[in-house]
Structure formats: C-alpha cells, structure tokens
C-alpha cells in the first residue's frame, strides 16, 4: 500500500492529559480532579488548669475553642452537666456570655491559666432533687414564702427585719448605689463589705470558690454554707435607703431556714445571685 493510502493516526489523549492541557492553557471547560479545599482551622494549642474543689484538672484546648467546647470536656472529667457549670475568672464572671459563640480568645485566656469550676455533679443534683421532691408538699417552701412576702408588707416593715434595720447602717459600710448592677470586686475570694446579720452583728460575705462555699463572717463566728445547698435568694431594697438591700439565703424548705443579711450594697445583689445560683 502506498503512503497516500495510509490513514492518518490520531493520538489518544487520556482524561488526565486533557486536564493537564486544559490547566496549562487556562481552559476551564474540563473539570480538574483535585480534592476539595479544607476550611482553615486554628492551631493555637493551650493548656488550662481547672480547679474543682480539691482537684486540679489539666485540660488541653485550642485558643479558638468555645466555652461550650471547654465545658463538654469538663463534663467528661467531672460529670458536671455543662448547663450547671460555672467557670470563674474576671472575664467570664463579669458579663453573661453565649457559650456557643464565645471563644477562649474572646476571654483573653492564655496558656497555663487557672480557672475555678463551680457546680454539682449529676449524682449530687439527683440527690438534691430527691430531697426537694420529698419536701414539695411543704407549705413553707421558698416559692410560697417569697410569693406571700410580696403580697404582704415589705420585708423592711416586718417586725423581725425592722428591729435590725433600726439599729442603722454600720459606720464602715460600703457605699450603696441603687439601679446599678456591678460585678463583684476583682478579689472574688472576699466581698469586702460591712453589714448586719440577722443577729444584728457586723458581718462580711466571703466567697470560697475553691470549696464551693459562701462564708458569713462575724467577729465571733463564721457560718459556712455550701453553694449547692442554697435553693434560692430573696432580695429587696430597704425603703428610704434603696442603695442598700435585705438579702436572704434559703437553705431549706421553710422560712426559718433563710439566713438574712442587711445593708448589702444593692449594686452587688445581682452578681451575688449569679455567683450562687446562676440567676441573671
């Protein structure tokens, strides 16, 4: 057969070669088989020390982890439901945060920092719930008492409170400010304020977070109350002295189980509630 009769040979270009050619020439008509780009992720590992009662847990985190991420890790270590966990440092306790969106970076946390964890384990919560259920029929419950108190005369007009208030504000009491909500002082271990207890003695509140306890100190005694034992808090401004409040800590199911303090600076009442019962 002559050369003119031979058919032309068309080279076979594979799919991968087509992609190569298309890529070189800038022709995007053919798709290029490449793995999808991964979303960039932070890689700023930090270690936090979490103090819970007498234990210290070392937790590996990323600076861009959220509070929700951190609390889920702590749940596995402590069996404390994230919903009842309170992590304490100045950044976290100063304002209410959205756990799902607030990162550790947002809170200015750094490698090696120590945070205090407050909260009852699931077994402790279950035990407390059983006790509460057993007392559910008690007519002197906290809710009933608080409701009745508001229907009656103000606390400061009730005889037992009026007697204490008439003694007057302690001379070195911290200035009270009405219509303001201030965070607790930076030294959260002690709220340095002078007030009167229900025994009409000068008293001071001290938050022992590492023990999960509230201490009410007088010159003679120190009453220690487990924060998980405080069921509710009653507070009411003192008439004609709204910069100060009466505050009651309910530890049982009757009115007699309320521990009262007087002349508490009103600007701290909301922060006290938040520290003890996470009530915003």
């Amino acid at each position: 057969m002559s050369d003119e009769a031979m058919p032309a040979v068309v080279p076979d270009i594979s799919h991968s070669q087509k992609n190569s050619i298309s890529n070189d020439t800038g022709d995007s008509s053919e798709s290029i088989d490449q793995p999808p780009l991964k979303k960039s992720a932070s890689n700023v590992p930090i270690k936090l020390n979490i103090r819970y009662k007498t234990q210290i847990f070392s937790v590996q985190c990323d600076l861009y982890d959220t509070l929700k991420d951190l609390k889920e890790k702590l749940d596995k270590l402590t069996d404390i439901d994230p919903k009842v966990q309170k992590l304490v440092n100045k950044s976290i306790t100063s304002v209410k945060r959205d756990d799902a969106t607030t990162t550790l970076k947002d809170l200015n946390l750094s490698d090696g920092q120590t945070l205090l964890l407050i909260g009852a384990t699931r077994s402790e919560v279950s035990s407390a719930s059983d006790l509460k259920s057993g007392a559910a029929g008690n007519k002197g419950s906290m809710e009933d008492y608080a409701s009745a108190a508001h229907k009656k005369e103000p606390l400061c007009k009730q005889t037992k409170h009026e007697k204490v208030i008439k003694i007057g504000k302690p001379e070195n009491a911290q200035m009270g400010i009405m219509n303001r909500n201030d965070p607790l002082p930076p030294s959260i271990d002690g709220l340095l304020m002078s007030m009167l207890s229900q025994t009409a003695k000068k008293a001071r509140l001290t938050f022992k977070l590492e023990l999960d306890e509230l201490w009410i100190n007088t010159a003679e005694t120190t009453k220690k109350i487990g924060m998980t034992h405080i069921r509710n808090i009653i507070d009411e401004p003192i008439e004609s002295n709204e910069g100060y409040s009466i505050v009651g800590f309910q530890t049982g199911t009757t009115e007699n189980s309320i521990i009262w303090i007087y002349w508490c600076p009103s600007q701290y009442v909301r922060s006290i509630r938040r520290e003890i019962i996470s009530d915003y």
Side-chain angles (χ1 to χ4, degrees):
M1 185 182 292
S2 66
D3 291 341
E4 288 123 89
M6 291 183 65
V9 178
V10 179
D12 181 7
I13 301 178
S14 67
H15 181 68
S16 60
Q17 287 174 314
K18 288 180 181 180
N19 284 342
S20 177
I21 294 171
S22 175
N23 188 47
D24 291 341
T25 60
D27 182 2
S28 58
S29 60
E30 289 282 352
S31 62
I32 303 173
D33 297 330
Q34 291 182 348
L37 293 176
K38 294 182 179 180
K39 184 179 179 180
S40 60
S42 65
N43 185 23
V44 187
I46 61 172
K47 181 181 76 173
L48 296 177
N49 299 312
I50 309 297
R51 180 184 297 171
Y52 179 62
K53 295 183 179 179
T54 59
Q55 296 176 288
I56 295 182
F57 300 96
S58 179
V59 182
Q60 295 293 336
C61 307
D62 187 276
L63 192 59
Y64 291 89
D65 283 347
T66 63
L67 271 175
K68 181 175 181 290
D69 296 329
L70 176 57
K71 288 184 175 182
E72 287 175 349
K73 292 179 181 180
L74 295 178
D75 182 11
K76 296 177 182 178
L77 292 172
T78 63
D79 196 35
I80 301 175
D81 191 324
K83 294 179 181 178
V84 301
Q85 288 181 28
K86 286 192 289 185
L87 286 166
V88 179
N89 85 340
K90 288 185 290 186
S91 296
I92 296 177
T93 58
S94 59
V95 295
K96 187 175 180 180
R97 300 281 185 175
D98 182 353
D99 289 358
T101 58
T102 302
T103 67
L104 306 186
K105 184 177 185 299
D106 293 334
L107 298 173
N108 297 317
L109 297 179
S110 56
D111 186 49
Q113 191 162 353
T114 298
L115 286 75
L116 296 174
L117 170 64
I118 297 175
T121 63
R122 285 181 174 83
S123 60
E124 291 172 338
V125 170
S126 178
S127 298
S129 178
D130 291 341
L131 290 173
K132 187 174 182 179
S133 297
N138 193 319
K139 293 183 180 180
S141 67
M142 178 63 201
E143 292 78 9
D144 290 341
Y145 173 77
S147 176
H150 284 292
K151 291 178 182 178
K152 296 180 181 179
E153 57 190 345
L155 292 175
C156 61
K157 296 296 185 182
Q158 296 177 22
T159 302
K160 68 176 182 179
H161 301 303
E162 189 176 28
K163 287 181 179 179
V164 180
I165 293 172
K166 281 184 176 180
I167 296 172
K169 179 172 83 268
E171 292 180 1
N172 61 339
Q174 185 171 343
M175 179 182 292
I177 306 172
M178 62 183 297
N179 299 323
R180 200 164 101 180
N181 298 312
D182 288 352
L184 295 178
S187 178
I188 199 168
D189 186 54
L191 181 55
L192 303 178
M193 62 171 70
S194 181
M195 59 190 73
L196 291 176
S197 67
Q198 61 200 76
T199 57
K201 295 179 180 178
K202 290 183 180 180
R204 183 179 73 180
L205 294 183
T206 305
F207 294 90
K208 290 292 183 179
L209 298 177
E210 70 278 10
L211 302 175
D212 203 13
E213 291 179 346
L214 171 67
W215 291 11
I216 301 179
N217 310 86
T218 66
E220 296 82 11
T221 62
T222 297
K223 188 173 186 64
K224 302 177 181 180
I225 311 168
M227 290 191 189
T228 57
H229 296 159
I230 297 175
R231 295 167 175 261
N232 204 351
I233 297 176
I234 302 171
D235 64 90
E236 185 177 289
I238 298 174
E239 284 191 0
S240 302
N241 290 277
E242 286 82 2
Y244 297 91
S245 296
I246 301 173
V247 179
F249 301 98
Q250 173 79 14
T251 60
T253 59
T254 68
E255 180 181 346
N256 290 333
S257 68
I258 303 174
I259 300 168
W260 297 99
I261 60 172
Y262 303 84
W263 301 103
C264 176
S266 296
Q267 68 267 27
Y268 292 128
V269 170
R270 188 172 181 180
S271 289
I272 291 172
R273 295 183 67 95
R274 180 166 60 236
E275 288 302 324
I276 296 175
I277 58 174
S278 299
D279 185 350
Y280 293 88

